[in-house]
Amino acid sequence: KMSLSALNYPPLVALSGVGLGISLPILEKLTQESPWTAVRLACAISYGINFISVSRPGRMDGQASDGDYENGDSNSELAQLSPRRGKTLVAPSGWAFAIWGPIFLGELISVTSAFFLKDNNSSKDIISTLRKTSGPFIAAQLFQSLWCAAFRPKYKGLAMFINTGLLSATAYSLSKAHAVFAAQPNLYTNLQYGLFLLPMSLHFGWTVAASIVSLNGAISMQDNSSPKLIAYVGHASVIAASALGVYITVMRSAPVFGSVIAWALTAVADGMKQRIAAAANENGENKPLQRRRKNNSSDNNNGEGMLGLYGASTQRALALGGAVINAATTVFIAGSMAFGTTISGWKSVPSF
């Protein structure tokens, strides 16, 4: 009797992701041409698949969070993803992942509320918008379901980049949906935005951040990744995330996206703060922060070669700076929208 875990074969999961990506244009066309009842049902089913997939135990993030890092259990492979003792410099503090609660609850409300929308003249604008966003929304739910399969300990070496690709595909799909409703805010009210579109905005911003976290995690867990390479990629990632947050916030008049990026960067800075503090405490007790790679010539007495500590201070400063810039941009754009003006020309805040 074949189990689900037996079907979780890296090449099969990767090919499924490629196939889903190729079929996205077809999915978008179907959701715009199919009966409204079928579209609503497809969104609800895809959400259910994703919810069940996320709920299944065994993912690396769940196992890593169960590690006893406080007591020095840093020898596990999964410990390399930990904010305190990990190798990657893009390791958000655990509190950041609380954002999944509003995302899943919000999308549950969205797919449920859609069944109360009648396909008539009074709802034609919001239904037209939802038809255009439903294809990317369904794809994003399915991509994230595949990511849940790929983000497991059996995916080692280069196979770790499969989960990065699937998470990035999730963010790309949500970006397509976000672009649709960001471009036409006059087609829906504030209430409709809160019910149907705000959860997608949160999901989009967080999966962009999570894709960057995933990329850095995959790079840091490669056998030939040096502390310098991990640090350089981490620094570049934070700078890129900061720039992307400002760009999309401004060009799409999307303060929610900017606020999520600011949230994620703040969590990265806090993760590095914890790591630096852990290093100081352990050095005071004459304990090493991390395992040192054997025969690594960069290891030295001042600790700069320690895995996970190299570049941590710079990373914290970059992440804090990016968070402040994105938060300021978010406030500015939100204020501009409240007064009915934008920089991008993608229009102003929707009305009741």
Side-chain angles (χ1 to χ4, degrees), residues 140-223:
Q141 301 296 318
L142 297 179
F143 274 127
Q144 189 166 315
S145 300
L146 290 171
W147 167 78
C148 290
F151 196 41
R152 294 179 183 269
K154 70 187 297 181
Y155 287 71
K156 298 181 182 295
L158 294 178
M160 290 197 66
F161 290 100
I162 295 175
N163 84 74
T164 302
L166 292 169
L167 204 50
S168 299
T170 305
Y172 171 75
S173 300
L174 290 168
S175 176
K176 288 177 70 67
H178 184 268
V180 169
F181 63 79
Q184 298 177 304
N186 291 331
L187 294 183
Y188 47 85
T189 66
N190 283 335
L191 177 60
Q192 290 170 338
Y193 174 80
L195 282 175
F196 301 108
L197 307 174
L198 175 60
M200 274 194 279
S201 296
L202 292 171
H203 201 170
F204 170 40
W206 185 245
T207 51
V208 167
S211 299
I212 295 172
V213 172
S214 175
L215 173 64
N216 280 264
I219 290 174
S220 71
M221 292 183 73
Q222 302 302 306
D223 290 336

